[in-house]
Amino acid sequence: MKAIRIHAHGGIDQLRFEDAPDPKITSLRDVIVKLEAAALNHIDLWVRMGATGMKIPMPHILGADGAGVIVEVGNAVKSVRTGDKVCLYSFTGCGECEFCLSDRDFMCIRVRSLGERLDGTYAQYIKVLPENCFPVPSYMTFAEAAAFPLVFVTLWRMLVTNARLQANESLLIIGIGGGVASAALQVAKRIGARVIVTSGSDEKLERAKALGGEHGINHRRKNFAEEVQRLTDNRGVDVVLDSVAGEVWQKSLHSLAHGGRLVTCGATAGGEPNDDVNTMVSKELKIYGSTLGSREDFRQLLSFLDATQIHPIIDRKFPLNEARDAQERMEEARQFGKILLQISD
Ligand SMILES: NC(=O)c1ccc[n+]([C@@H]2O[C@H](COP(=O)([O-])OP(=O)(O)OC[C@H]3O[C@@H](n4cnc5c(N)ncnc54)[C@H](OP(=O)(O)O)[C@@H]3O)[C@@H](O)[C@H]2O)c1
Ligand SMILES: [Zn+2]
């Protein structure tokens, strides 16, 4: 099959479009999926650069998100069959620890994720387990079904499971162009929250407005914490979603109302930001670290998508052999929504 592989960690030139061995059924529980589309996530860049610190066998296929059709299953597989259209839940735990036994494989210290410890979705075929396969939502294309799993399950756990965003609350989303951020705007609007967004790009702020963002702040030109206080009559917002951190983290804290919650799933601009403990104490703020999501989060999300018929925002599609251009677009933060790799012709 054709795949995008890296043979060593490094820059974009490490991505090679080449022949790779077809995955084969080697256990009774294996499932082979012919992929139609894959989606990029920022984690792909960290894995390519070697920034996760994980030792992975080379050559390695990147990609955590994908959707396609099952073409072969092992003899013990009962829950899915050949011909099923599936999108992929990326995580497989050891199956034995307290986290795996309570449906939280993603917290397992031996977790293996597609595109990280396991070969990923930038390929024509992938081998997975049946519990990683979920039906493609009936109203979605394969590209949409590849675009939503990782970002939507992540933001579902952030906003719904952890921060418990309510219909009458206000939410500030930092860096709306990002995959997680733009999907969070779509979900928060359907929950009924009022949403303020920030971006480094006026064009992205306009697009966010069209999706229901009530106010947009260009964080390159304005101190967004001051602007949020102005927009909320010095009250602040109930929840901030900030996966950028770095120099914006303190402003995120200063944007919160008393009793507010800050929720984060990453640190694109730096993982050791300046905190402001006095503000955290005097305003009784709550900080939620959040990562990925459980199968139960994913099941809840699928029901929510079915009810709301949200279409994930697709920024641009590239053919598989142009993965370098696709990753470059993400590295330069030019996207609004998800960048896709189209795999089938
Ligand atoms: N733990 C998890 O479960 C999980 C899952 C998915 C993602 N993540 C993490 O979440 C973060 C976002 O992921 P993603 O895939 O959505 O990434 P992405 O699509 O590359 O989004 C990054 C966005 O962040 C904004 N940004 C970047 N640098 C900034 C800076 N210095 N100041 C202000 N804004 C900045 C930009 O928004 P504008 O273009 O609008 O300015 C950019 O588009 C990453 O750190 C990723 O590793 C974690
Ligand atoms: Zn485990």
Side-chain angles (χ1 to χ4, degrees), residues 40-43 46 150-151 154 174-181 198-201 204 219-220 243-244 247-248 265-269 290-293 330 333-335 337-338:
L40 271 65
N41 288 285
H42 216 100
I43 187 70
W46 307 135
L150 194 82
V151 287
T154 300
I174 310 296
I176 196 61
V180 176
T198 82
S199 176
S201 145
K204 293 184 187 183
H219 55 230
R220 288 191 211 282
S243 299
V244 173
E247 71 274 17
V248 310
C265 74
T268 306
S290 192
T291 192
L292 310 170
M330 175 168 268
R334 281 188 276 136
Q335 81 280 16
K338 296 294 289 180

Side-chain angles (χ1 to χ4, degrees), residues 58-238:
M58 296 287 177
H60 175 71
I61 303 174
L62 296 170
D65 270 326
V69 180
I70 294 178
V71 288
E72 206 182 339
V73 298
N75 286 338
V77 173
K78 301 268 185 296
S79 57
V80 291
R81 40 183 190 193
T82 305
D84 284 359
K85 295 178 177 178
V86 292
C87 53
L88 302 176
Y89 174 82
S90 180
F91 318 104
T92 305
C94 69
E96 291 173 356
C97 72
E98 63 180 289
F99 301 107
C100 289
L101 293 175
S102 55
D103 185 32
R104 292 176 294 167
D105 295 37
F106 68 101
M107 290 185 180
C108 172
I109 54 164
R110 282 176 280 168
V111 70
R112 290 168 305 143
S113 315
L114 302 180
E116 284 188 71
R117 286 209 166 85
L118 301 171
D119 271 337
T121 55
Y122 291 15
Q124 288 179 309
Y125 294 90
I126 190 167
K127 181 161 78 174
V128 292
L129 291 170
E131 55 267 32
N132 297 105
C133 297
F134 284 82
V136 167
S138 57
Y139 67 96
M140 282 192 193
T141 62
F142 280 117
E144 289 173 328
F148 87 85
L150 194 82
V151 287
F152 272 79
V153 80
T154 300
L155 77 90
W156 186 264
R157 190 165 182 88
M158 290 171 89
L159 284 186
V160 179
T161 310
N162 282 325
R164 297 185 180 279
L165 180 71
Q166 304 295 314
N168 58 348
E169 290 190 313
S170 49
L171 168 71
L172 171 69
I173 304 176
I174 310 296
I176 196 61
V180 176
S182 55
L185 169 58
Q186 292 180 288
V187 169
K189 285 311 297 175
R190 296 305 177 101
I191 288 173
R194 299 184 307 283
V195 185
I196 302 174
V197 307
T198 82
S199 176
S201 145
D202 288 338
E203 195 189 323
K204 293 184 187 183
L205 293 174
E206 277 310 308
R207 296 199 54 182
K209 225 175 217 171
L211 290 167
E214 284 178 28
H215 300 284
I217 306 168
N218 188 317
H219 55 230
R220 288 191 211 282
R221 284 207 303 271
K222 281 193 178 148
N223 177 327
F224 71 80
E226 288 172 11
E227 194 61 13
V228 166
Q229 292 300 339
R230 188 185 70 75
L231 289 166
T232 58
D233 288 334
N234 289 322
R235 176 189 182 272
V237 292
D238 298 296

